[in-house]
């Protein structure tokens, strides 16, 4: 399996885009919690070794990489709330989180590399979509790490307030234990009411 590299960013630099931000989101599939996005502008002279798609790394490795990124890169993480997910839809909410993450960078980027095949509406800066970007671009891989760690922390915190759903380990994804708890314990304020398994419990006959 090939690992992400800096080719896309270098090509953008050659075209005059000096600050290139990788953008990724995590948390589209869960039944509970926010959707979280991160934007990262790497320092070409201080790119941590071992950057990869967050799903291919251990929690310990992700944490070590994030600490290096926070030392040398411009990192911003943002969320879209459960209310925003239910109001818009999960895709639009994930794009809202991406825009917020980009707006949170210390300095505005010249170009955003967006993981996936769609560019968020209203982005307000040049952008390119990169399908499977977290496997191709080091900047997007870095964003995937920052987003996952931050969202996992949010879900761990929520798990302390709402025990029994297993959010500290399933991060709100629809595991069997989470589905069982939803039926047995009910729907919390942090559940996405527009998602079918939650909606069905709320409005069952």
């Amino acid at each position: 399996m090939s690992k992400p590299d800096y080719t896309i960013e270098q090509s953008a630099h050659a075209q005059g885009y000096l600050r290139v931000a990788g953008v990724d989101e995590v948390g589209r599939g869960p039944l509970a919690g926010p959707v979280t996005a991160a934007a990262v502008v790497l320092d070409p002279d201080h790119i941590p070794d071992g950057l990869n798609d967050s799903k291919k790394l251990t929690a310990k490795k992700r944490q070590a990489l994030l600490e290096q990124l926070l030392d040398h890169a411009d990192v911003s993480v943002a969320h879209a709330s459960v209310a925003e997910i239910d109001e818009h839809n999960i895709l639009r909410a994930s794009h809202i989180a991406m825009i917020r993450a980009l707006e949170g960078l210390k300095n505005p980027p010249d170009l955003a590399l967006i993981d996936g095949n769609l560019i968020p509406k209203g982005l307000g800066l040049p952008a390119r979509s990169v399908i499977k970007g977290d496997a191709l671009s080091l900047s997007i891989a870095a964003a995937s790490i920052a987003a996952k760690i931050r969202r996992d922390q949010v879900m761990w915190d929520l798990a302390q307030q709402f025990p029994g759903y297993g959010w500290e380990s399933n991060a709100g994804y629809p595991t069997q234990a989470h589905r069982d708890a939803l039926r047995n314990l009910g729907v919390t304020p942090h559940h996405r009411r527009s998602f079918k398994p939650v909606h069905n419990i709320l409005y069952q006959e």
Side-chain angles (χ1 to χ4, degrees), residues 43-56:
D43 177 346
D45 297 324
H46 295 93
I47 297 176
D49 288 335
L51 277 183
N52 205 338
D53 172 2
S54 65
K55 296 185 288 294
K56 297 176 181 173

Side-chain angles (χ1 to χ4, degrees), residues 93-169:
S94 68
H95 284 177
I96 289 169
M98 287 180 172
I99 291 169
R100 287 175 180 157
L102 283 161
E103 289 173 345
L105 290 167
K106 294 184 184 76
N107 295 294
D110 303 311
L111 176 71
L113 302 176
I114 308 289
D115 182 56
N117 61 354
L118 293 172
I119 292 170
K121 292 174 183 170
L123 198 56
L125 76 153
R128 296 174 187 166
S129 60
V130 185
I131 295 171
K132 299 195 184 304
D134 44 15
L136 297 173
S137 156
L138 284 172
S139 298
I140 296 176
S144 79
I145 291 167
K148 176 161 177 55
I149 288 176
R150 184 70 191 103
R151 189 177 185 282
D152 283 353
Q153 288 170 339
V154 168
M155 295 310 296
W156 192 91
D157 290 343
L158 289 176
Q160 311 315 301
Q161 301 169 44
F162 294 89
Y165 296 89
W167 294 342
E168 67 282 359
S169 57

Side-chain angles (χ1 to χ4, degrees), residues 1 12 30 38 42 44-45 64 85 120 137 147 156 159 191 194 203:
M1 294 290 288
L42 292 172
D45 297 324
I85 293 167
S137 156
W156 192 91
H191 278 103
S194 56
Y203 300 103

Side-chain angles (χ1 to χ4, degrees), residues 31 179 182 192-202:
L31 303 179
R179 287 171 178 269
L182 200 50
R192 302 172 179 179
R193 282 155 168 71
S194 56
F195 277 45
K196 202 166 193 175
V198 181
H199 180 91
N200 288 350
I201 286 170
L202 279 171

